[in-house]
Amino acid sequence: PLRPGRTHSIMRLCAFLALLLALASLASAASPLVLTKFSALEVALTGARCLDGSPAGYYFRPATNSTDAAKWIIYLEGGGLCYTPSDCADRVKSDLGSSTHWKDSRHEGNLLSDDPSKNPDFYQWNHVFVPYCSGDLHSGQRRIVAFPPFQDFYFAGHLILSATLKHLRDYGISGAEELILSGFSAGGIGTFTNAE
């Protein structure tokens, strides 16, 4: 049996350890990728718009050290294909067809995780997440609305990626020594259509 004085000391020690753990978890909390949406002028010049015409954009977290500053991962989001006018109309009500409800930041896992225990090889690299809002496998090149029966929609996935790469020149992507272009589903197909 523990004496009352000793019990109090153990409780204080446990409270102190819990505080240390809480502070450690805050210090190691993942840093989010931050949204950059293209301005109206950039959209007019590049055509980088979502299915509904809203400005496209990307999420970015810079490398955490100078050793990895020239290393990049660009991840293209997946999400199927807009294949009928009604499907496209449904998409513009969501993040898969419009940027109007995108959050200012997001956390991603796998190749875009900045947690060394989950992504030991790439956690310190520059991370870019390109949201999928064009419904065209990241391959569309239309600066104007599409032809009937898709006349209410823009298909500009390739233009979005091109504008993103142009934007990232300000962060040093032109001097990239290593670059991984990856994606899932529609984003995976987009890596093949945009790899050149």
Side-chain angles (χ1 to χ4, degrees):
L2 295 174
R3 294 181 307 215
R6 189 174 187 133
T7 303
H8 184 68
S9 295
I10 291 173
M11 288 175 57
R12 284 192 319 188
L13 178 61
C14 288
F16 177 72
L17 291 174
L19 176 64
L20 285 178
L21 285 172
L23 290 173
S25 70
L26 286 175
S28 66
S31 149
L33 292 116
V34 177
L35 175 63
T36 297
K37 276 190 190 177
F38 300 118
S39 70
L41 178 61
E42 289 169 319
V43 170
L45 293 173
T46 65
R49 56 177 53 96
C50 295
L51 197 57
D52 67 344
S54 61
Y58 61 93
Y59 290 85
F60 175 63
R61 180 177 48 241
T64 58
N65 64 53
S66 59
T67 305
D68 293 316
K71 298 175 181 177
W72 293 79
I73 295 178
I74 300 173
Y75 187 87
L76 306 180
E77 183 180 31
L81 177 65
C82 170
Y83 55 92
T84 67
S86 64
D87 179 53
C88 295
D90 288 341
R91 282 176 170 274
V92 300
K93 299 172 191 169
S94 75
D95 289 350
L96 290 175
S98 178
S99 67
T100 56
H101 301 293
W102 288 355
K103 295 183 172 142
D104 291 335
S105 64
R106 66 186 297 149
H107 292 276
E108 290 295 323
N110 300 318
L111 288 174
L112 297 182
S113 172
D114 63 347
D115 182 342
S117 68
K118 295 178 181 170
N119 186 17
D121 297 320
F122 310 113
Y123 73 98
Q124 293 180 311
W125 288 29
N126 292 288
H127 294 153
V128 181
F129 178 88
V130 181
Y132 182 44
C133 67
S134 58
D136 60 5
L137 307 175
H138 294 276
S139 61
Q141 299 183 41
R142 297 208 44 102
R143 292 178 181 271
I144 58 172
V145 290
F147 49 87
F150 295 93
Q151 67 272 10
D152 297 326
F153 309 107
Y154 295 89
F155 296 99
H158 174 76
L159 301 176
I160 293 168
L161 182 57
S162 295
T164 298
L165 293 172
K166 184 176 180 182
H167 233 245
L168 292 172
R169 289 181 192 164
D170 292 342
Y171 298 99
I173 199 166
S174 297
E177 295 171 3
E178 296 180 56
L179 189 145
I180 296 172
L181 178 62
S182 183
F184 175 75
S185 184
I189 294 170
T191 61
F192 289 105
T193 60
N194 288 286
E196 289 186 48

